[in-house]
Amino acid sequence: MIQLWSLCVPVVIRLTLVAPLLAIALPGCTPQTERPNFIVILTDDQGYADTGRYGAIGFETPNLDRLADEGLRFTDFYVPATVCTPSRAALLTGSYPKRVGLHEAVLFPYSEHGLNLDETTIPELLKPLGYRTGMIGKWHLGHQAEFMPTRQGFDSFFGVPYSNDMDGHLYRGRGFQSPPLPLYENEELVESGPDQAFLTKRYTEAAVQFIKNNVDDPFFLYLAHNMPHLPLHASAGFAGTSERGLYGDVIQEIDWSVGEILAALEEAGLDQGTLIVFASDNGPVLRPDAGSAGNLRGGKATTWEGGMRVPGIVHWPSRIPKGSVSGEVATTMDLLPTLVSLAGGEMPQGLDIDGHDISPLLFQPGDATSPYDALYYYSRDGLPEAIREGAWKLHVAKSRGWNQSDGEFPISLFNLEADPGETQNVADDHLELVERLKEKLVQFDAALTREARPVGQLGGSR
Ligand code: MG
C-alpha cells in the first residue's frame, strides 16, 4: 500500500500549514488506514446467541469477544433471508434475494441456475478500485462452472460450491445422486469428499495465506465457513473441548479461526487497516444439539426474529470506537454500498439495490440512526411474511415456525423493544397501525416483484 501514502501527502501539507499538531496526529494518514482491507467472515446457521457477547452458554469465544470489545456489536443485525442461498445472494449484491431472483429456497447439486452473471457483486465493484478479491469456503450461488466465484468477481476461490450436507446425498424425489462433496481450487476440482473435520482448519490456513500474499495491495476476502451447518465436524484439537457438545466445539474452532486471522493481520502490520465483519447467514436449526437464538423466537427457515436476526460484529480498530453497541437496524445488504464507499468508490449509476452505506453507524454509533424506513421478512420460499418499522413488527403469514394444528396463523403485531421474544400479540390494540404496515408490506412486495431481475439459468448467461 506504499502508493497510498501519496494520497495522504497533500492533506498533510495543507494541515501542516494551519495545524501542525493535528497533522502529526492525523490518524487516518497511514498506509494502514487509507482504503482498508475487508474481511467478511460468514458462518452457516450460527444462532443469534452463539457468540460470547450475545450470551453463548457452554462454550467460549474469546476472539469473537475481542472483535466486539475492540469494535462494534449490532444487537439488531439482520439477514434478509432465512436460509443459505438467498442470504448469500443478498450479501454479495446488496439486494433483497427477490430482486436478484434467488428468493426461492436453496440451490441443490441438481440445480441448473445460479446468481445471474449480470448482477453486480461486491468484488466486481472493488476490483476496479485496485482490490485483490478472494473467496474461501461455501459458495452456494451456483455450482456449475459458469456460476462459480471466479466468474462473479473473485480472483481466487478455495472451497465447496454448496452445503456440507449435500455430500453424496440421494435426492429421492429427483432420482438424483449427488457426488461426494466437491472441493475446488478456483474452477478445478481438487478433492472429492474431503474430511469435513478439517474444513474450518483448511479454510483458515487458506485465509492466512491469502493475507500473506496480499500485504502490498488492498484486498477483499470473503470467508464463508461451512460450519456450524449440520452435520457438525470439528478437528481433533477442538472435538470434545466444550460443555455444549460438538456444536460448542465447532464454534470454538471458528473462534480459533478468527484468532488466527487477527494474528496474521498483526504479523503483516495490517491489523489497524483492516475492517472485519462477522455474521451468520441465518438463524440456528432448533435442535438440542445445534445452535441457539437465545430469547428470540424461532430459528432457521422462519421469519421470526430467531431466523433472521444474527450476530453482527464490525472490527476496525483505527476507525470504530472501541466497545460500541448499536441497537439500530442494519443488514448484510449494507456491506456492498458500505465497502464500496470506504474503498473510495462510487455506486454505479442505475444500480438498483436495497442496502445502505452504514458508515455513519460504524463511526458514530451513538449518534447515527438506521437508514431503514422498514425491513421486510421473506419466507424460505420467497413470500412476504413480515415487516419491521421501528420497534413494531407485523406478521401477516407464517409458512414455517407455526404449528398448523393450532389453526390459521393470526395477524400478529409485536413491539420488539418491549418484547423481543415476540410473545405478546398486540394487534388488536393497534388496528390502524396493523392496516398501515400490512399495506406497506403489500406495496413493497409488489414493487420488488415488478423490479425483480432474472436468476441466472445454465447456458443462458453471457
Ligand atoms: Mg445457512
Side-chain angles (χ1 to χ4, degrees):
M1 287 199 194
I2 292 165
Q3 76 279 12
L4 298 174
W5 275 101
S6 60
L7 296 174
C8 291
V9 169
V11 179
V12 172
I13 291 172
R14 278 200 300 276
L15 287 171
T16 304
L17 295 175
V18 292
L21 292 175
L22 180 62
I24 290 165
L26 197 66
C29 266
T30 70
Q32 285 203 16
T33 50
E34 283 291 337
R35 292 212 302 170
N37 304 304
F38 303 115
I39 300 179
V40 175
I41 304 173
L42 188 75
T43 56
D44 198 346
D45 298 0
Q46 183 174 6
Y48 181 77
D50 290 335
T51 82
R53 294 291 177 260
Y54 289 83
I57 296 171
F59 56 89
E60 306 284 331
T61 61
N63 293 297
L64 287 167
D65 298 349
R66 181 183 158 195
L67 281 191
D69 294 346
E70 294 179 354
L72 167 69
R73 178 170 78 84
F74 283 102
T75 63
D76 292 45
F77 193 76
Y78 289 88
V79 286
T82 71
V83 288
C84 304
T85 294
S87 180
R88 287 146 206 274
L91 186 155
L92 282 178
T93 65
S95 300
Y96 279 102
K98 193 169 194 174
R99 186 174 297 288
V100 299
L102 272 171
H103 51 297
E104 293 178 35
V106 301
L107 298 177
F108 290 95
Y110 53 77
S111 297
E112 296 191 337
H113 60 291
L115 180 65
N116 197 315
L117 295 189
D118 287 338
E119 292 298 338
T120 304
T121 63
I122 295 175
E124 285 171 345
L125 291 173
L126 293 179
K127 268 170 78 84
L129 301 172
Y131 277 70
R132 302 290 297 168
T133 58
M135 205 248 141
I136 296 167
K138 169 175 163 173
W139 174 238
H140 219 174
L141 292 174
H143 67 282
Q144 316 282 358
E146 67 190 70
F147 297 123
M148 291 288 269
T150 42
R151 310 289 180 98
Q152 302 277 16
F154 288 101
D155 296 325
S156 61
F157 171 56
F158 175 69
V160 302
Y162 37 66
S163 295
N164 61 319
D165 64 338
M166 299 172 178
D167 180 15
H169 186 77
L170 175 63
Y171 296 86
R172 291 183 190 281
R174 293 260 174 175
F176 183 89
Q177 172 69 52
S178 74
L181 195 65
L183 182 71
Y184 283 86
E185 211 169 291
N186 298 319
E187 295 181 22
E188 186 187 350
L189 178 67
V190 292
E191 224 173 297
S192 288
D195 185 342
Q196 293 198 27
F198 297 103
L199 280 183
T200 299
K201 192 161 188 278
R202 294 175 75 178
Y203 291 163
T204 305
E205 288 166 355
V208 167
Q209 193 58 51
F210 179 88
I211 292 167
K212 286 181 177 172
N213 291 347
N214 292 288
V215 171
D216 296 326
D217 293 303
F219 62 76
F220 167 63
L221 172 62
Y222 173 40
L223 170 58
H225 287 288
N226 278 97
M227 295 294 127
H229 191 290
L230 300 170
L232 299 166
H233 294 275
S235 67
F238 295 91
T241 59
S242 83
E243 295 169 7
R244 182 83 174 269
L246 188 51
Y247 186 84
D249 304 342
V250 163
I251 302 293
Q252 291 192 159
E253 186 159 18
I254 287 171
D255 183 75
W256 162 83
S257 172
V258 171
E260 291 296 294
I261 287 165
L262 285 170
L265 291 172
E266 279 166 20
E267 196 173 311
L270 301 175
D271 49 309
Q272 296 296 311
T274 300
L275 183 152
I276 301 174
V277 178
F278 180 90
S280 174
D281 72 332
N282 51 250
V285 174
L286 294 180
R287 284 182 11 182
D289 59 348
S292 166
N295 295 329
L296 302 181
R297 184 170 178 176
K300 178 177 181 175
T302 79
T303 49
W304 299 109
E305 289 296 286
M308 301 175 75
R309 205 195 289 196
V310 295
I313 302 172
V314 189
H315 182 265
W316 187 8
S318 61
R319 294 292 304 275
I320 295 175
K322 284 189 183 2
S324 302
V325 178
S326 173
E328 299 295 320
V329 167
T331 81
T332 47
M333 295 186 290
D334 303 328
L335 295 181
L336 183 145
T338 304
L339 269 47
V340 168
S341 157
L342 294 176
E346 291 192 358
M347 291 295 294
Q349 290 279 328
L351 179 61
D352 205 1
I353 66 166
D354 300 288
H356 305 274
D357 177 1
I358 56 166
S359 305
L361 284 180
L362 304 183
F363 303 143
Q364 296 101 37
D367 302 325
T369 54
S370 174
Y372 284 88
D373 165 52
L375 185 67
Y376 301 92
Y377 300 67
Y378 280 82
S379 76
R380 183 183 184 278
D381 300 312
L383 300 171
E385 289 193 347
I387 170 176
R388 175 176 179 175
E389 186 189 81
W392 295 110
K393 181 176 176 187
L394 180 79
H395 298 254
V396 299
K398 202 60 57 201
S399 54
R400 295 192 181 215
W402 176 255
N403 193 342
Q404 301 298 336
S405 63
D406 289 340
E408 196 178 330
F409 180 79
I411 286 201
S412 305
L413 180 73
F414 301 99
N415 183 315
L416 294 177
E417 270 171 27
D419 179 24
E422 301 175 280
T423 61
Q424 303 294 321
N425 178 6
V426 294
D428 287 346
D429 302 332
H430 302 274
L431 296 177
E432 277 183 30
L433 178 63
V434 166
E435 283 310 308
R436 188 173 65 72
L437 291 179
K438 200 168 136 189
E439 182 60 20
K440 195 167 177 173
L441 176 58
V442 168
Q443 292 299 332
F444 177 82
D445 183 58
L448 187 60
T449 304
R450 240 182 357 256
E451 296 162 9
R453 303 186 285 259
V455 72
Q457 293 291 350
L458 184 60
S461 299
R462 62 178 155 77

